[in-house]
C-alpha cells in the first residue's frame, strides 16, 4: 500500500478510485456500515466498494483533501467528525445546514472542477425508523433527551411529524439550540414546547409523565451507564426509543420491564445508510438487505 496523502499519518489504500466510498470515524472498527453497504452493492450487482478508515481528529482535513484527489465517489462521516467536516465542504445541503452536521460526503466532478458536497441523512433515517416503529406522531408529546448532533437530527425528524417536542439535557443552552431547530422546521409554531433541565428531578418527572414517547439521543447507555432515575421509570402506555444500537441499554431494559414499547437505534442506522447509498449510486437502496446485514 502506498499513500495518496503524504501530509497525513493515515495510510490510504493505494487503489482508491471512482467505485470507492469510505467511512471516516475514530474509532470505526465496530461499525456496521461496511457490512450494510457491501450487502446492498452485492444485491444490486453494483461495483461500489465501502471501507472504514480510522482517522484521528487532527488528520481529518488532510484525509478529506487526499480522498478528493484520489477521485473517490463519496464518504460517510461519523463520531467525532460530523461537525468538524462541515467547514471543509464547498456546499452544504439544506438538510446538513439544518442539522448543523454532515454524515454524507459526495465529490461532484464536472468540467469546472470538483465540488465537495456535505449532506446529512440522520433525520431522514430516524423519520423512516419512527414511521416503522411508532404510530403517527402528529400532536403527540415527545421528550427528546440530549443536545448533540443526533438530538438535532431527531429534532428535525420530529418537527416534520408535527410531534410536540420538549428537549432535556444537562446543558440548557444547548437544549435551547435544539428547540430552535424544531422551530426552524415547524412553520406552524406548535411543535416546540420547551426545555427541561435533565438534572432537575421534579421538572424531569413532570416532563416524562406528560410524554407519550421518550427518545434518548445521548450516548448514555453505550457502556451500560444510566440516565437519571426518572427516565428508568416509564409506564406501559409509553414508548422508549434509544438512538444507541446493538446494546440493550438500561433505559430500554427498564422501559421493556415496565411493559412499554422499546426500540433501539438500529432502524435509524439502516435508514440513514440507505439514504446515503441512494445518494452515491442514484438507485434506491435495498433496505431489507441492509437491515439483515446490520443485524448479522
Ligand atoms: P454528541 O457527542 O454530539 O452528543 C452527545 C450528547 O449526549 C450530548 O448532548 C451530551 O451532553 C450527552 N451526554 C453525554 N454524556 C451524558 C451524561 N452522562 N448525561 C447526560 N447527557 C450526556 O453525540 P451524537 O449526538 O452524535 O450521538 C449521540 C448518540 O446517538 C451516540 O450514542 C450515537 O452512537 C447515537 N447515534 C445513533 C445513530 C443511529 O443511526 N442509530 C446516528 C447518530 C448517533 P453534553 O453536551 O452535556 O456533554
Amino acid at each position: 500500500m502506498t499513500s495518496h496523502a503524504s501530509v497525513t499519518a493515515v495510510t490510504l489504500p493505494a487503489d482508491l478510485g471512482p467505485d470507492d466510498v469510505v467511512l471516516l470515524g475514530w474509532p470505526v472498527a465496530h461499525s456496521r456500515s461496511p457490512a450494510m453497504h457491501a450487502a446492498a452493492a452485492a444485491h444490486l450487482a453494483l461495483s461500489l466498494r465501502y471501507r472504514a478508515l480510522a482517522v484521528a481528529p487532527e488528520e481529518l482535513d488532510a484525509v478529506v483533501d487526499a480522498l478528493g484527489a484520489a477521485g473517490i465517489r463519496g464518504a460517510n462521516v461519523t463520531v467525532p467528525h460530523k461537525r468538524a467536516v462541515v467547514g471543509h465542504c464547498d456546499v452544504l445541503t439544506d438538510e446538513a445546514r439544518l442539522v448543523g452536521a454532515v454524515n454524507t460526503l459526495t465529490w461532484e466532478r464536472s468540467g469546472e472542477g470538483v465540488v465537495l458536497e456535505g449532506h446529512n441523512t440522520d433525520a431522514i433515517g430516524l423519520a423512516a425508523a419512527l414511521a416503522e416503529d411508532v404510530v403517527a406522531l402528529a400532536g403527540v408529546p415527545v421528550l427528546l433527551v440530549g443536545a448533540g448532533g443526533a438530538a438535532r437530527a431527531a429534532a428535525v425528524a420530529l418537527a416534520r411529524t408535527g410531534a410536540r417536542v420538549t428537549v432535556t439535557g444537562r446543558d440548557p443552552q444547548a437544549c435551547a439550540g435544539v428547540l430552535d431547530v424544531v422551530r426552524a422546521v415547524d412553520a406552524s409554531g406548535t411543535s416546540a414546547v420547551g426545555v427541561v433541565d435533565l438534572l432537575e428531578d421534579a421538572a424531569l418527572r413532570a416532563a416524562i409523565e406528560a410524554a407519550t414517547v421518550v427518545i434518548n439521543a445521548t450516548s448514555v447507555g453505550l457502556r451500560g451507564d444510566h440516565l437519571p432515575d426518572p427516565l428508568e421509570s416509564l409506564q406501559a402506555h409509553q414508548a422508549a426509543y434509544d438512538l444507541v444500537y446493538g446494546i440493550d441499554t438500561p433505559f430500554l431494559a427498564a422501559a421493556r420491564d415496565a411493559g412499554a414499547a422499546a426500540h433501539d437505534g438500529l432502524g435509524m442506522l439502516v435508514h440513514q445508510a440507505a439514504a446515503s447509498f441512494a445518494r452515491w449510486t442514484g438507485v434506491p437502496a435495498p433496505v431489507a438487505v441492509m437491515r439483515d446485514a446490520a443485524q448479522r
Side-chain angles (χ1 to χ4, degrees):
M1 279 191 184
T2 59
S3 172
H4 280 285
S6 55
V7 286
T8 168
V10 177
T11 301
L12 299 180
D15 55 351
L16 289 172
D19 286 340
D20 281 291
V21 174
V22 297
L23 169 66
L24 308 176
W26 182 257
V28 283
H30 66 286
S31 175
R32 299 180 188 202
S33 294
M36 284 191 288
H37 288 284
H43 182 77
L44 297 172
L46 297 176
S47 54
L48 181 121
R49 184 170 52 177
Y50 188 108
R51 286 176 275 188
L53 292 182
V55 177
E58 63 275 14
E59 296 162 345
L60 181 66
D61 284 355
V63 168
V64 173
D65 281 346
L67 292 171
I72 72 167
R73 190 181 305 194
N76 269 148
V77 184
T78 187
V79 178
H81 303 315
K82 286 184 183 182
R83 282 178 87 89
V85 84
V86 167
H88 209 89
C89 297
D90 300 313
V91 291
L92 293 176
T93 62
D94 290 346
E95 195 76 3
R97 213 171 288 116
L98 257 182
V99 177
V102 161
N103 78 339
T104 305
L105 295 171
T106 311
W107 281 268
E108 303 285 354
R109 296 179 173 83
S110 69
E112 282 146 44
V114 184
V115 173
L116 178 57
E117 182 198 71
H119 181 52
N120 194 301
T121 62
D122 281 340
I124 297 160
L126 179 58
L130 286 170
E132 281 176 351
D133 295 335
V134 181
V135 277
L137 283 170
V140 170
V142 176
L143 181 64
L144 176 58
V145 189
R152 292 173 67 91
V156 172
L158 290 169
R160 286 182 180 146
T161 66
R164 293 174 47 73
V165 184
T166 300
V167 182
T168 186
R170 56 186 180 180
D171 176 352
Q173 212 177 333
C175 291
V178 177
L179 203 65
D180 284 342
V181 174
V182 175
R183 285 195 191 95
V185 174
D186 170 47
S188 77
T190 55
S191 265
V193 174
V195 166
V196 167
D197 189 333
L198 185 68
L199 307 176
E200 290 270 346
D201 191 78
L204 180 62
R205 282 183 194 280
I208 291 168
E209 226 167 83
T212 301
V213 178
V214 180
I215 298 179
N216 175 33
T218 73
S219 44
V220 180
L222 209 51
R223 291 167 204 83
D225 42 343
H226 292 255
L227 286 162
D229 283 351
L231 283 159
E232 291 187 13
S233 51
L234 297 195
Q235 295 176 28
H237 69 278
Q238 295 175 304
Y241 211 105
D242 204 325
L243 302 197
V244 171
Y245 57 85
I247 292 162
D248 198 23
T249 60
F251 169 63
L252 283 189
R256 197 179 317 100
D257 287 351
H263 307 279
D264 77 356
L266 193 87
M268 176 181 178
L269 179 79
V270 169
H271 284 287
Q272 62 77 30
S276 296
F277 183 92
R279 203 159 182 94
W280 297 316
T281 61
V283 295
V287 174
V289 169
M290 294 178 89
R291 190 192 309 274
D292 197 43
Q295 277 165 341
R296 269 187 276 120

